[in-house]
Amino acid sequence: MNPLSPVKLVMLLLSCGFCGALGGYYAAAFSPVPAQIAVVDVQTLVKKAVENNQAQTEDDAKALMTKIKSATQPLIEQGIVIFDAQSVLHAPEEAYVNIE
């Protein structure tokens, strides 16, 4: 077996590093960046809750807020900012949080 000379080894390592950097640049340049915000439509959630139960109580409202907080907590831990839908002028559909 013919061992690599130091010059060939350095050239091989440099070319591998260059190819890795080029691949990383390509992946970063052409990969879509997900929205760093999430939107919760609290007004719609409250309307749905009232439609389902006309005798809406304070406990039901607290339960709904607890449900919203539990659904958004993983997003907050990822560093995503949560907005109420009434504060947002326009956002992509995937930015809205589905709470069921």
Side-chain angles (χ1 to χ4, degrees):
M1 184 169 183
N2 190 2
L4 290 175
S5 68
V7 173
K8 288 182 180 179
L9 181 61
V10 169
M11 293 299 290
L12 178 66
L13 291 174
L14 287 175
S15 65
C16 288
F18 178 73
C19 290
L22 187 62
Y25 170 77
Y26 179 80
F30 297 106
S31 296
V33 176
Q36 294 300 307
I37 64 160
V39 180
V40 175
D41 195 352
V42 176
Q43 185 176 9
T44 302
L45 291 171
V46 171
K47 283 181 183 178
K48 285 181 183 177
V50 170
E51 287 172 2
N52 293 337
N53 181 9
Q54 292 296 328
Q56 186 75 8
T57 64
E58 186 177 340
D59 292 336
D60 293 334
K62 287 180 182 178
L64 178 61
M65 290 307 296
T66 302
K67 195 175 196 181
I68 292 170
K69 285 182 181 182
S70 67
T72 57
Q73 187 62 35
L75 300 173
I76 292 169
E77 291 171 359
Q78 295 174 15
I80 296 175
V81 179
I82 310 293
F83 288 107
D84 179 45
Q86 305 309 310
S87 304
V88 176
L89 296 178
H90 187 67
E93 193 65 34
E94 59 269 6
Y96 285 85
V97 178
N98 185 12
I99 298 174
E100 294 184 28

